[in-house]
Amino acid sequence: MLEYELGSIVEMKKPHACTVKATGKKADAWEITRLGADIKIRCTNCNHEVMMSRFDFNKKIKKVLK
């Protein structure tokens, strides 16, 4: 199981739909902004926020970047 905490930058299995202007690739870095039974993450490129259950988050996370 991966260890993450509030403020950690994580990479999800599927990239976000927005593209990074510098590289032209899909954005895949998310910042954790809320922890609890539900987890809220924010795209580091476009600031889009998504809230999901901890169970779904643990299935969809790929790795912890910071």
Side-chain angles (χ1 to χ4, degrees):
M1 184 163 187
L2 297 170
E3 296 206 14
Y4 47 84
E5 57 190 25
L6 192 63
S8 294
I9 305 296
V10 296
E11 182 179 343
M12 304 303 279
K13 289 182 181 175
K14 288 189 177 182
H16 190 229
C18 67
T19 55
V20 180
K21 290 182 182 179
T23 61
K25 295 183 179 180
K26 302 269 185 181
D28 58 358
W30 296 81
E31 179 184 5
I32 299 176
T33 57
R34 180 181 187 273
L35 283 175
D38 294 326
I39 294 179
K40 185 184 272 188
I41 55 176
R42 180 174 14 125
C43 178
T44 57
N45 187 44
C46 70
N47 292 328
H48 178 78
E49 290 187 327
V50 177
M51 186 176 263
M52 64 183 77
S53 69
R54 186 178 285 265
F55 178 76
D56 289 337
F57 179 79
N58 287 331
K59 286 192 330 187
K60 294 178 180 184
I61 189 171
K62 187 174 183 180
K63 63 182 173 181
V64 178
L65 301 175
K66 289 185 191 174

